[in-house]
Amino acid sequence: PASPIGLFGGGYDTGRSNVIQSILITTLGNSTDFGDLSVTFSSLAALSSSVRGVFGNGRQDGSSPGNRIEFVTFASAGNSTDFGDTTVAVRNSTGCSSSTRGVFMGGANSSNAVQNVMDYITIASAGNATDFGNLTAAKISGTGSNSSTRGIYALGYISAVTNVIEYVTIASAGNGTDFGDATVARLSPANGVISSGTRGVFAGGDTSGDGRLNTIDYITIATTGNALDFGDLVAVSEAPASCSSTVRGIIAGNAAPNSNVIQYITIDSTGNATDFGDLLSDISSMAGCSAVHGGLA
């Protein structure tokens, strides 16, 4: 079986970061250094198979969005390797994946125009991304989740913050379809998949301006409908990162002010988050992925 490793890449601490941090999701404790991305990334997206973690888009080596995609091999700590390019350079996109295919969703381009674009890659084969289809609206700063068949895009910003959840069938390129609504509209929730395979979880976010939340919602991925309240984070949280096993969801970091706190939930049991450990620095705007999330069945 795959190692229960979770990764958090890039972000913004005292400046934009190229650091990749790792945790063992099954064991409480602090993160450790895994390696480096080839450039500094913040406001990026991540997705994964059981073998590879993939990071892409975001603000790359400066303030402008980039289309670079890089990957690491979970079993071998070290620096990332070039994978290819997405079809458009964007920041604040999000990702989801099955065991074979990853999808990058939404974001804003260098002119700050919000996009509805979705791209896909075959995770095992480096190369450029291909157009997948369009979200139901142009969106930025949402979050993703997935089962082995469905990819989820939730929350974010259209022309205002939104509570809309939509889904795609990962194996079949096409446009997003309405799924339901989250309990409260917000942008910049935890960026990275939290999924047991049957249940998806969305944590934290900002209602607008300084309206940061400790809200956690959940959905049953196979059944469309509105999200339900799960519990609360340890503290209000904007622009953290997240990853998961099929049992445990991890939320790490925070913005305004930045934080090094890592916390966790048990995905199939509603309740409040619990302290897990600390990151290497006070940081926000990372992206998270893991070798054991619920899309890998």
Side-chain angles (χ1 to χ4, degrees):
S3 171
I5 188 171
L7 298 180
F8 303 113
Y12 194 94
D13 45 21
T14 57
R16 292 187 177 88
S17 175
N18 68 343
V19 174
I20 306 169
Q21 307 183 46
S22 66
I23 58 168
L24 287 178
I25 297 172
T26 52
T27 306
L28 304 186
N30 299 336
S31 68
T32 59
D33 188 86
F34 183 93
D36 293 331
L37 298 164
S38 68
V39 297
T40 60
F41 281 75
S42 66
S43 304
L44 67 163
L47 52 89
S48 56
S49 68
S50 60
V51 176
R52 285 181 169 179
V54 181
F55 298 92
N57 292 329
R59 298 187 187 274
Q60 300 179 6
D61 265 3
S63 60
S64 296
N67 65 349
R68 184 178 179 88
I69 309 169
E70 304 187 355
F71 75 94
V72 295
T73 302
F74 286 115
S76 304
N79 297 338
S80 64
T81 301
D82 183 63
F83 187 98
D85 297 326
T86 54
T87 64
V88 62
V90 292
R91 60 174 173 84
N92 296 98
S93 63
T94 195
C96 66
S97 59
S98 66
S99 60
T100 56
R101 176 178 281 187
V103 184
F104 295 100
M105 303 178 285
N109 66 17
S110 59
S111 301
N112 292 320
V114 181
Q115 305 292 300
N116 65 359
V117 64
M118 292 187 281
D119 290 346
Y120 74 92
I121 58 171
T122 300
I123 299 172
S125 303
N128 293 336
T130 302
D131 183 68
F132 184 94
N134 295 326
L135 295 168
T136 58
K139 297 179 184 180
I140 187 174
S141 299
T143 190
S145 190
N146 48 243
S147 65
S148 60
T149 55
R150 274 187 176 175
I152 302 292
Y153 185 102
L155 305 168
Y157 185 91
I158 304 174
S159 55
V161 292
T162 181
N163 66 349
V164 171
I165 307 165
E166 58 182 286
Y167 74 95
V168 296
T169 301
I170 297 174
S172 304
N175 297 334
T177 300
D178 185 68
F179 185 98
D181 295 331
T183 62
V184 60
R186 56 204 194 266
L187 55 78
S188 300
N191 185 16
V193 165
I194 301 177
S195 168
S196 66
T198 56
R199 179 178 281 190
V201 178
F202 319 122
D206 187 348
T207 57
S208 66
D210 291 325
R212 293 181 294 278
L213 300 172
N214 63 359
T215 302
I216 311 172
D217 292 353
Y218 75 94
I219 58 170
T220 301
I221 298 172
T223 307
T224 57
N226 294 337
L228 299 173
D229 182 66
F230 183 97
D232 294 332
L233 294 170
V234 171
V236 295
S237 191
E238 175 187 359
S242 54
C243 66
S244 78
S245 67
T246 57
V247 175
R248 180 176 280 182
I250 308 292
I251 303 96
N254 185 40
N258 283 0
S259 168
N260 68 351
V261 171
I262 309 171
Q263 48 194 305
Y264 76 96
I265 57 169
T266 301
I267 298 173
D268 284 335
S269 303
T270 57
N272 296 337
T274 302
D275 184 70
F276 182 96
D278 294 331
L279 296 165
L280 297 173
S281 64
D282 295 338
I283 193 166
S284 64
S285 301
M286 303 180 295
C289 61
S290 81
V292 287
H293 63 78
L296 304 179

